[in-house]
Amino acid sequence: MQVVDLSHPIRTGMQVFPGDPSVELNSAATVAADGFAVAQLHLGSHTGTHLDAPLHTVQDGTAVDAMPLEALMGPARIVSLPEPAANTVLRWKDVSGQLAGLLPGTIVLFSTGWSRYFNTGTYLQHPAFDAEIAERLVTAGVRLVGVDTLNPDPTPGPAESGQAQGGTFLPFHDVFLGSGGGIVENLTNLDAVPWPEPWFSALPLRLEGLDGSPVRAVALKP
């Protein structure tokens, strides 16, 4: 089996969505002092490569621990969108040619190459995806979508971070999470998957009643 890791490593000080909790990983016990090692983690539920559950933007939506695991793994279609301009809004016409014959239940992963800017200011200027794309995917029976950007919707700069909350500013989320689906954000390394229709898995921690979770996203070729 071939496996490609599509996840960013979680480390102290890594980039997060503007206004989200900072990431701090500290030692709580060491082998030298205590005979065993334990780490203390401070991070938000949307740290690094992570899954947005419907509860993230939908009042009384499904929590991450209640999402069906079978919807979070399966055959995937990688849509390659190389070198989009900063702050571009990608439309259905930009992706439709690579989504012909999409079967219900297929996981759709958008590869823009923007993950190379992770941990830089440029990462906030990522391309976004028009809500029509979410509508078309939902109609086609897609239950999980992934992006190699911070957000399928536009991300505000730090000075605007207070405006980031609320469905008004998250139209792609509103449609896709509103349908009961999930969104995987901050994927990386999608260009390292050379085979078509990879098997994809992005399983979250079983965080009871929460809105999202970091995942270890992988592409597999059995």
Side-chain angles (χ1 to χ4, degrees):
M1 177 181 290
Q2 293 178 255
V3 181
V4 175
D5 195 344
L6 305 177
S7 313
H8 288 284
I10 294 178
R11 55 169 63 100
T12 296
M14 69 187 292
Q15 189 169 36
V16 297
F17 187 89
D20 273 13
S22 61
V23 180
E24 297 178 23
L25 312 182
N26 299 304
S27 175
T30 66
V31 174
D34 306 288
F36 56 88
V38 173
Q40 177 175 273
L41 314 181
H42 176 276
L43 68 166
S45 53
H46 297 262
T47 294
T49 307
H50 66 273
L51 172 67
D52 287 359
L55 185 60
H56 181 45
T57 61
V58 179
Q59 186 71 36
D60 300 321
T62 303
V64 70
D65 61 308
M67 296 183 72
L69 295 181
E70 59 269 23
L72 305 177
M73 60 179 77
R77 178 83 58 89
I78 297 178
V79 178
S80 180
L81 301 161
E83 303 298 332
N87 299 313
T88 297
V89 177
L90 296 163
R91 311 287 179 181
W92 175 247
K93 64 181 178 60
D94 300 315
V95 303
S96 59
Q98 297 182 62
L99 292 171
L102 197 64
L103 296 176
T106 301
I107 297 165
V108 175
L109 309 175
F110 292 106
S111 176
T112 68
W114 213 258
S115 60
R116 67 186 180 276
Y117 298 120
F118 190 70
N119 281 322
T120 74
T122 302
Y123 195 60
L124 299 179
Q125 302 169 29
H126 61 81
F129 296 84
D130 185 72
E132 184 188 0
I133 296 174
E135 294 166 355
R136 298 266 194 164
L137 294 179
V138 168
T139 299
V142 174
R143 305 294 294 163
L144 186 68
V145 65
V147 295
D148 62 350
T149 62
L150 186 58
N151 192 353
D153 289 301
T155 295
E160 307 166 88
S161 59
Q163 301 178 23
Q165 304 304 314
T168 302
F169 302 97
L170 299 169
F172 190 101
H173 282 76
D174 285 349
V175 172
F176 206 81
L177 298 186
S179 76
I183 300 172
V184 181
E185 297 171 332
N186 291 327
L187 290 167
T188 188
N189 216 27
L190 283 169
D191 58 357
V193 183
W195 60 89
E197 308 290 333
W199 187 272
F200 176 78
S201 173
L203 298 182
L205 297 174
R206 197 172 182 180
L207 300 175
E208 187 172 352
L210 295 192
D211 48 84
S213 168
V215 298
R216 188 67 176 266
V218 295
L220 305 100
K221 182 182 181 183

